[in-house]
Amino acid sequence: MNPNATATGPGRQRAAAADAAPPAVEPSTAWSEYLAAARQLDGVRRGAAAAAGEQARSAEAAREELTVVRTGLASQQERLRELGVPTISLVPSPPELTEAARTMAGGPAAVLAALRAARGWAEAADAALAARRGFRPASWPARARNLLVYGPFALLVPLIQVAVYAATGVGPASVAALICGLPMPAVAFVAGWIAIGRLFRVSPTERLDRTVRFGALVCLVPAVLATAGLLLALLAG
């Protein structure tokens, strides 16, 4: 037989089929690849769940922060209106709204950061308003504030009585000043009561505290002391 002759028949077909079959894959290698893919998918799932949870927490925190900021801004606007600030100055302008919208486009975390920054600005503004109110009598306690009004009215007539006595001595003028000064505490109290309402304004929902008993005492004590002193001086003279 010619050694260079080509083999034909069933043997040749079986050899060709054996050459065409794909190489076998080891079971251990396939299992390792499956485990690697499963671990990768689980990592992706965990990462997505963590991101979703973080966004949910940021959104909830942003809602709570928004409530606090809204409450603080409403209170500030009310106080600024009482100070005479125009309402148009308390409304954001279109460029400010555009900048705020651009800041909010970063998702719940960016919104939360912007709200916290706004809260810091609002607290700083509260501190500035409080420092300014410290120099305004309208922000003082009611008794200290009203004393600035009742006090001068209460001292006016006794000082006049003492001045008349010092100028004229014991005589008809001093007696007339003493008699005319008897009803003056009531007049001083009424004048102070009216002046407090004119000088110190409050919102329509609040009631102005005029410290009636304290004001009556402030108006009465100087008059009693001056009257007693003048009466003793007149009797001694």
Side-chain angles (χ1 to χ4, degrees), residues 28-41:
S28 59
T29 303
W31 179 250
S32 299
E33 293 176 354
Y34 170 76
L35 290 179
R39 284 193 297 269
Q40 185 177 4
L41 290 175

Side-chain angles (χ1 to χ4, degrees), residues 99-171:
E99 179 63 20
R102 187 185 64 80
T103 305
M104 299 294 134
V111 173
L112 179 59
L115 288 173
R116 286 175 175 170
R119 183 178 181 179
W121 298 335
E123 290 175 352
D126 280 336
L129 288 175
R132 181 176 179 181
R133 287 198 304 269
F135 298 98
R136 298 175 63 247
S139 64
W140 295 1
R143 288 190 175 186
R145 176 197 65 198
N146 295 342
L147 182 61
L148 295 177
V149 181
Y150 286 124
F153 285 111
L155 294 175
L156 179 61
V157 173
L159 290 177
I160 294 175
Q161 291 175 331
V162 172
V164 171
Y165 176 78
T168 62
V170 179

Side-chain angles (χ1 to χ4, degrees), residues 165-182:
Y165 176 78
T168 62
V170 179
S174 298
V175 175
L178 179 63
I179 295 174
C180 292
L182 294 178

